[in-house]
Amino acid sequence: MQDDKVLLLLFGVLVGLLSLGYIVWLFATKTVRRLSAAVVGLAVTPSLILMFLIASLAVHMRLSLGGWPLQIGEEGFSPGLIFHAETTIYYFIFLLYLTLFLMPVAAVTCALISAWRGALNYLAISYVAYCCNWVLLLIMPDGFLYWWWD
């Protein structure tokens, strides 16, 4: 299992480096319209919020419980930890559905309407940022993952 995590982490780093190279190319090339830093920031903000929620939930859980939960569920959780966990889970599900169902429709729409093709770059950046959340989840401690997936 640990070897799988290392391979997935390396794959995530590779995808991240390729994405970073793509973004640098987008900013450097003269043939592609320059991307707005503000819109790039807007495109990655939902994923950054999710990264913060997941990481802070792990820290909150570790500090509140003195370790990782030994069983599935929220038994023994404080009200604040329950709120934090539910907020993180619901936000994760919201972004999952948005990424799986709405983003492909938006990408096809932008590809078909020539005036909107520039938005494809921002959608790609947003998608890559969301994929980074999966890498973050895969490198979380096993005790947290056992609780998270159930």
Side-chain angles (χ1 to χ4, degrees):
M1 180 67 173
Q2 197 64 20
D3 292 336
D4 292 341
K5 281 188 172 183
V6 170
L7 289 174
L8 289 170
L9 177 63
L10 290 175
F11 178 74
V13 168
L14 176 64
V15 169
L17 290 174
L18 289 173
S19 301
L20 181 62
Y22 174 72
I23 293 167
V24 168
W25 177 80
L26 286 174
F27 277 102
T29 185
K30 301 293 183 196
T31 60
V32 176
R33 186 179 349 170
R34 288 192 159 283
L35 296 178
S36 163
V39 180
V40 169
L42 188 63
V44 299
T45 296
S47 293
L48 290 176
I49 291 169
L50 182 58
M51 284 182 193
F52 173 77
L53 284 171
I54 291 170
S56 64
L57 176 62
V59 170
H60 189 177
M61 187 178 289
R62 182 84 173 165
L63 293 176
S64 293
L65 302 175
W68 304 116
L70 300 176
Q71 71 263 351
I72 298 167
E74 298 170 344
E75 187 177 323
F77 283 25
S78 67
L81 185 56
I82 290 172
F83 177 76
H84 193 165
E86 288 179 354
T87 302
T88 304
I89 290 167
Y90 289 134
Y91 189 69
F92 176 84
I93 291 169
F94 169 74
L95 280 185
L96 177 66
Y97 286 145
L98 188 75
T99 303
L100 289 178
F101 300 114
L102 188 61
M103 283 182 87
V105 172
V108 169
T109 303
C110 289
L112 293 175
I113 300 172
S114 62
W116 294 1
R117 285 200 184 119
L120 284 172
N121 294 325
Y122 300 109
L123 285 172
I125 290 168
S126 179
Y127 182 77
V128 168
Y130 179 75
C131 290
C132 291
N133 286 299
W134 283 94
V135 173
L136 174 66
L137 274 174
L138 292 172
I139 63 173
M140 295 301 274
D142 289 336
F144 179 81
L145 286 178
Y146 175 74
W147 174 85
W148 176 266
W149 293 124
D150 292 317

